[in-house]
């Protein structure tokens, strides 16, 4: 049996995590002097409550001991494992998991342990994980699943916009004056993930124009695969996510969408308010997510 492991930066429906018996490794979030396991000891509502009070949360990678324990239990149960990790460009989680898996491979040489860099996070990783779970359930070999998974990573897209530049400024990702001026002028950034990290690729003035630009970029990027499942993540901005879903259905009538809140670790970095779109830019060798019940 192949076991799929993800971490808490992977946003996907909880019932599907249970359905496919996936294990979840939590990253850590610190608020003041308290440390919490993302999705276990803290949920997104509490994080946003702290951020509204002006607190800047800190995040850290997966626990070495907890990771080793989960990987070891899979080996001891006689299963093979694939761990789809948070982007190595945004966290040391991938490298840590890789080292632990290599150590266990020497102890359990009959087990196959693969650590795959998602090169991103949020629902982008969730979509890849959902499709990977379906490949595993269909009975594909370990080698086939890993090959298809790597193809999916190479074709996934992240597009998102933020309501405010202030949290990026507070986190040192842009200059603080830029964050202040951006908010005063109603300037909204559009970002994507490339080379495993986040990049601002466009600046738009005004909320309506920003959402239109975001959807236009989606349509352009997925023109070779208009019929697919598109994930929409929001940072405490459900009404905007629903508005974007309606806009997508008008221009991509064959696509399906689903909406989830972003997790605590990524929410700590991008702040409150914003929406992201996650999808494949071109067809995969095998794809059947449109039949998934959400």
């Amino acid at each position: 049996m192949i076991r799929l492991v993800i971490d808490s930066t992977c946003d996907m429906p909880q019932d599907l995590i249970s359905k496919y018996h996936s294990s979840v490794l939590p990253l850590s979030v610190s608020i003041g002097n308290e440390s919490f396991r993302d999705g276990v000891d803290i949920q997104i509502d509490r994080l946003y409550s702290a951020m509204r009070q002006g607190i800047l949360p800190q995040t850290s990678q997966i626990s070495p001991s907890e990771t080793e324990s989960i990987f070891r239990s899979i080996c001891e149960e006689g299963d093979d494992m694939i761990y789809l990790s948070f982007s190595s460009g945004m966290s040391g989680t991938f490298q840590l998991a890789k080292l632990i898996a290599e150590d266990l491979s020497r102890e359990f040489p009959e087990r196959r342990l693969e650590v795959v860099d998602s090169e991103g996070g949020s629902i982008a990783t969730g979509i890849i994980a959902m499709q990977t779970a379906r490949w595993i359930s269909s009975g594909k070999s370990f080698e086939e699943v890993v090959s298809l998974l790597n193809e999916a990573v190479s074709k996934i897209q992240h597009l998102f916009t933020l309501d405010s530049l202030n949290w990026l400024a507070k986190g040192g990702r842009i200059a603080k004056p830029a964050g202040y001026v951006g908010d005063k002028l109603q300037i909204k950034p559009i970002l994507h993930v490339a080379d495993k990290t986040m990049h601002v690729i466009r600046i738009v003035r005004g909320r309506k124009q920003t959402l239109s630009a975001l959807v236009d970029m989606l349509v352009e990027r997925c023109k070779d695969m208009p019929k697919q499942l598109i994930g929409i993540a929001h940072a405490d901005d459900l009404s905007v996510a629903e508005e974007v879903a309606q806009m997508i259905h008008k221009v991509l009538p064959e696509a399906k969408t689903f909406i989830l809140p972003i997790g605590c670790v990524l929410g700590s970095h991008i702040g409150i308010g914003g929406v992201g779109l996650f999808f494949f830019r071109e067809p995969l060798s095998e794809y059947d997510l449109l039949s998934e019940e959400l």
Side-chain angles (χ1 to χ4, degrees), residues 193-236:
V193 172
D195 300 322
K196 306 177 184 180
T197 58
M198 295 185 292
H199 302 270
V200 177
I201 54 173
R202 187 171 174 183
I203 297 293
V204 184
R205 188 168 183 177
R207 174 181 169 279
K208 183 177 180 180
Q209 292 87 342
T210 303
L211 296 183
S212 294
L214 191 70
V215 174
D216 287 345
M217 294 175 73
L218 162 71
V219 172
E220 173 59 28
R221 291 195 180 195
C222 73
K223 62 180 182 296
D224 293 327
M225 192 178 175
K227 188 176 181 179
Q228 64 170 296
L229 180 65
I230 297 168
I232 304 173
H234 69 91
D236 201 28

Side-chain angles (χ1 to χ4, degrees), residues 124-142:
T125 309
I127 288 173
I128 295 171
M130 289 157 58
Q131 180 60 75
T132 301
R134 292 178 69 86
W135 288 326
I136 292 171
S137 297
S138 72
K140 293 189 182 303
S141 71
F142 188 86

Side-chain angles (χ1 to χ4, degrees), residues 155-173:
K155 294 180 177 178
I156 199 67
Q157 295 283 288
H158 311 62
L159 281 175
F160 53 104
T161 185
L162 307 179
D163 190 52
S164 170
L165 291 168
N166 264 331
W167 286 101
L168 287 177
K170 287 180 180 179
R173 289 164 181 81

Side-chain angles (χ1 to χ4, degrees), residues 75 78 80 105 107-112:
C75 292
D80 297 324
S105 291
E107 186 176 345
F108 298 91
E110 72 282 6
R111 299 271 60 86
R112 291 170 295 183

Side-chain angles (χ1 to χ4, degrees), residues 44-64:
I44 194 66
D45 289 348
R46 182 173 180 184
L47 179 83
Y48 286 150
S49 176
M51 292 173 76
R52 287 191 180 93
Q53 297 173 44
I55 299 172
L56 180 64
Q58 302 295 318
T59 63
S60 56
Q61 63 188 25
I62 53 177
S63 158

Side-chain angles (χ1 to χ4, degrees), residues 247-271:
M247 294 169 67
I248 292 171
H249 293 151
K250 288 180 180 178
V251 292
L252 294 173
E254 293 185 300
K256 288 174 61 177
T257 61
F258 71 104
I259 298 172
L260 289 175
I262 200 163
C264 292
V265 166
L266 293 175
S268 297
H269 293 289
I270 68 172

